[in-house]
């Protein structure tokens, strides 16, 4: 059976590593919010490489599963991913403009559907749904009116915010996990000490027998 203290130290180191990773992500997110243009370019290059690597992996998987019914479908999807990855890597600025336009249209349509749905249904979350729809519609209009200049900072801002909130979540998990481990270790330490003390302490019968022998002598 593993030592509880050793397991506690191992868990504490693991949670400390999560907190450190979260701190790095928070720093990267803050830097990205300051330099949104660099963050946009970085996110597009990473996105292109993800598409390229995912397409190559999908192509290898399709080749391994040749003879099946979905062989050609897997090949076509992998080829599209590879082609899209090459295009995004070679033309990151144009890809950023296209994705920014897509994001603006997505915000617009989502905001309109939420507004119409909230007015028609009028459910218990009417106010929140109406507010979300208005916010999405306003955000889509702002991005669309400033396009293509908005492509220089919109995607980078979203990417940096994602890094920031993911980092804060990892920090919360790491710090909370360390506190839980320390609380459990503190509770287990007195119990272990009491058990060892009871083992070392002589029993009542043995102590009374010793006293009786000393009185007879």
């Amino acid at each position: 059976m593993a030592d509880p203290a050793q397991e506690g130290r191992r868990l504490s180191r693991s949670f400390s590593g999560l907190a450190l990773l979260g701190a790095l992500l928070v720093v990267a997110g803050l830097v990205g919010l300051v330099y949104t243009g660099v963050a946009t370019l970085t996110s597009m290059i990473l996105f292109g490489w993800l598409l390229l690597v995912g397409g190559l992996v999908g192509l290898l998987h399709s080749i391994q599963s040749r003879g099946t019914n979905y062989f050609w479908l897997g090949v076509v999807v992998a080829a599209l991913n590879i082609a899209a990855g090459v295009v995004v890597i070679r033309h990151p600025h144009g890809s950023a403009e296209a994705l920014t336009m897509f994001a603006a249209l997505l915000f617009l349509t989502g905001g309109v559907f939420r507004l119409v749905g909230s007015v028609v249904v009028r459910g218990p979350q009417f106010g929140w749904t109406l507010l979300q729809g208005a916010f999405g519609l306003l955000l889509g209009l702002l991005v669309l009116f400033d396009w293509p200049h908005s492509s220089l900072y919109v995607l980078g801002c979203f990417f940096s915010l994602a890094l920031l909130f993911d980092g804060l979540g990892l920090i919360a998990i790491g710090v909370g996990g360390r506190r839980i481990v320390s609380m459990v270790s503190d509770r287990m330490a007195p119990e272990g000490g009491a058990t060892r003390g009871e083992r070392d302490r002589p029993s009542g019968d043995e102590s009374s027998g010793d006293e009786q022998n000393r009185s007879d002598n």
Side-chain angles (χ1 to χ4, degrees):
M1 184 176 179
D3 187 11
Q6 184 177 0
E7 290 294 325
R9 289 192 294 269
R10 185 179 64 82
L11 288 175
S12 296
R13 288 194 297 268
S14 300
F15 283 118
S16 299
L18 282 179
L20 180 60
L21 178 60
L24 293 177
L25 290 179
V26 168
V27 172
L30 293 176
V31 172
L33 288 176
V34 175
Y35 302 100
T36 53
V38 177
T40 299
L41 187 61
T42 303
S43 63
M44 295 309 302
I45 292 175
L46 289 176
F47 180 60
W49 278 107
L50 285 176
L51 288 175
L52 183 60
V53 173
L56 291 175
V57 172
L59 183 61
L60 291 177
H61 180 70
S62 299
I63 293 174
Q64 291 177 355
S65 61
R66 59 183 177 274
T68 59
N69 296 327
Y70 54 88
F71 168 71
W72 287 109
L73 178 62
V75 171
V76 171
V77 172
L80 289 176
N81 285 333
I82 292 174
V86 171
V87 170
V88 171
I89 292 173
R90 293 188 63 182
H91 306 283
H93 295 287
S95 302
E97 292 179 0
L99 286 179
T100 303
M101 173 65 74
F102 176 74
L105 295 176
L106 189 64
F107 288 137
L108 282 174
T109 54
V112 170
F113 275 109
R114 282 194 175 93
L115 284 175
V116 174
S118 63
V119 172
V120 172
V121 177
R122 289 185 177 273
Q125 302 294 330
F126 168 74
W128 285 109
T129 307
L130 187 66
L131 183 62
Q132 289 177 358
F135 180 76
L137 183 62
L138 179 62
L139 183 60
L141 290 175
L142 289 176
V143 174
L144 190 60
F145 288 158
D146 198 27
W147 189 85
H149 181 263
S150 59
S151 62
L152 298 176
Y153 59 86
V154 169
L155 297 179
C157 184
F158 289 163
F159 180 67
S160 302
L161 287 175
L163 290 179
L164 179 62
F165 286 111
D166 287 343
L168 291 176
L170 288 178
I171 290 175
I173 293 174
V175 174
R178 281 182 58 88
R179 288 181 179 177
I180 293 174
V181 170
S182 63
M183 289 172 61
V184 173
S185 301
D186 292 340
R187 288 186 178 183
M188 292 179 64
E191 294 178 0
T195 303
R196 289 191 295 270
E198 290 176 357
R199 290 177 180 176
D200 297 337
R201 188 186 307 121
S203 62
D205 296 337
E206 293 179 355
S207 60
S208 61
D210 294 339
E211 292 178 356
Q212 184 65 31
N213 290 333
R214 285 196 295 271
S215 62
D216 293 339
N217 293 330

